[in-house]
């Protein structure tokens, strides 16, 4: 299992998208810079601004092919992500360690780990002034977990910014994602859908060990 570059994400390919966008930005910048320099210093006449007038037809042709290839790659990566976010169509990955059920309640979270056959629920209550709870979620670094998120009363939202994750907890519905626990440490999240008086007092603490 590889470690990720920028965040730990629902699926490692998410980081490839970030790298791809960086490279695309650099390529576009260099391409525009090159065009401007060629037009300024190598243009045969003052009025000529088009590269094709300088005999760049074939260069443009190949560049269009290359960038079309990049777009196809982007579409492919997007499809991978969509597939990875749909557990009913996806497969279980290497390092898959089980499913965690997350239930939002007024005003705490209930976690159950469904990995080892026995299912044990823990309540995660707000415990001190800002951002700590009595029981957090503990995950093994490098593991892939399925999260099933729902609510037992009103709308909540399970939000974990460092994992690019924000999933609504909807009563009567289970939202599923895969979580790739690639970055060690203590990660903090919040309920992100207003759910009543205690909305600000149900933080999410996830420890990747
Ligand atoms: Cu809330």
């Amino acid at each position: 299992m590889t470690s990720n570059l920028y965040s730990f994400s629902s699926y490692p390919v998410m980081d490839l998208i970030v790298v791809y966008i960086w490279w695309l930005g650099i390529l576009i910048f260099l391409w525009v810079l090159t065009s401007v320099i060629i037009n300024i210093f190598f243009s045969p006449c003052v009025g000529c601004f088009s590269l094709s007038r300088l005999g760049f037809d074939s260069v443009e042709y190949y560049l269009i092919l290359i960038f079309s290839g990049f777009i196809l790659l982007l579409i492919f990566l997007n499809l991978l992500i969509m597939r990875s976010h749909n557990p009913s169509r996806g497969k279980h990955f290497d390092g898959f360690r089980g499913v965690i059920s997350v239930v939002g309640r007024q005003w705490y979270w209930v976690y159950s780990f469904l990995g080892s056959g026995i299912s044990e629920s823990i309540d995660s209550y707000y415990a001190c002034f800002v951002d700590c709870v009595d029981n957090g979620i503990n995950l093994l670094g490098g593991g892939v977990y399925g999260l099933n998120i729902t609510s037992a009363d009103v709308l909540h939202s399970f939000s974990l910014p460092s994992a690019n994750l924000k999933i609504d907890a909807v009563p009567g519905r289970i939202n599923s994602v895969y979580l790739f626990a690639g970055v060690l440490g203590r990660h903090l999240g919040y309920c992100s859908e207003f759910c009543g008086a205690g909305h600000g007092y149900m933080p999410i603490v996830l420890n990747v060990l």
Side-chain angles (χ1 to χ4, degrees):
M1 197 54 78
T2 56
S3 66
N4 286 20
L5 296 173
Y6 304 105
S7 65
F8 69 101
S9 57
S10 314
Y11 190 60
V13 79
M14 189 71 89
D15 279 343
L16 294 181
I17 291 283
V18 176
V19 173
Y20 166 81
I21 290 171
W22 272 102
W23 276 109
L24 195 62
I26 291 169
L27 275 175
I28 291 172
F29 171 74
L30 289 178
W31 169 235
V32 171
L33 192 70
T34 314
S35 307
V36 168
I37 288 174
I38 287 175
N39 271 296
I40 290 176
F41 295 106
F42 300 101
S43 182
C45 63
V46 180
C48 295
F49 291 113
S50 161
L51 283 180
S52 59
R53 294 197 193 176
L54 296 173
F56 275 77
D57 284 352
S58 58
V59 177
E60 283 192 58
Y61 175 74
Y62 286 115
L63 281 175
I64 286 171
L65 276 187
I66 290 170
F67 283 110
S68 302
F70 272 116
I71 298 293
L72 286 178
L73 180 67
L74 183 62
I75 291 171
F76 175 69
L77 293 177
N78 272 308
L79 286 176
L80 272 186
I81 288 175
M82 286 163 64
R83 189 168 176 274
S84 75
H85 279 67
N86 187 348
S88 65
R89 290 175 64 83
K91 59 179 169 47
H92 287 175
F93 307 108
D94 291 345
F96 185 77
R97 297 199 182 273
V99 174
I100 297 166
S101 122
V102 176
V103 181
R105 285 179 170 272
Q106 285 173 316
W107 288 278
Y108 58 101
W109 296 96
V110 182
Y111 306 121
S112 321
F113 186 69
L114 312 172
S116 52
I118 49 164
S119 150
E120 173 197 2
S121 292
I122 54 168
D123 295 343
S124 177
Y125 276 97
Y126 169 76
C128 62
F129 184 55
V130 177
D131 58 3
C132 63
V133 294
D134 53 357
N135 295 307
I137 314 176
N138 296 320
L139 303 182
L140 283 174
V144 176
Y145 294 85
L147 292 182
N148 287 340
I149 295 153
T150 186
S151 166
D153 37 49
V154 299
L155 280 177
H156 301 271
S157 187
F158 186 83
S159 161
L160 208 57
S162 55
N164 303 321
L165 196 70
K166 182 171 181 289
I167 309 289
D168 280 352
V170 183
R173 180 190 159 88
I174 296 175
N175 288 324
S176 300
V177 285
Y178 283 114
L179 180 73
F180 174 68
V183 174
L184 303 180
R186 180 170 177 272
H187 303 278
L188 178 68
Y190 302 94
C191 177
S192 300
E193 187 67 49
F194 184 67
C195 56
H199 169 60
Y201 303 94
M202 47 185 298
I204 297 154
V205 172
L206 186 142
N207 302 304
V208 181
L209 308 169

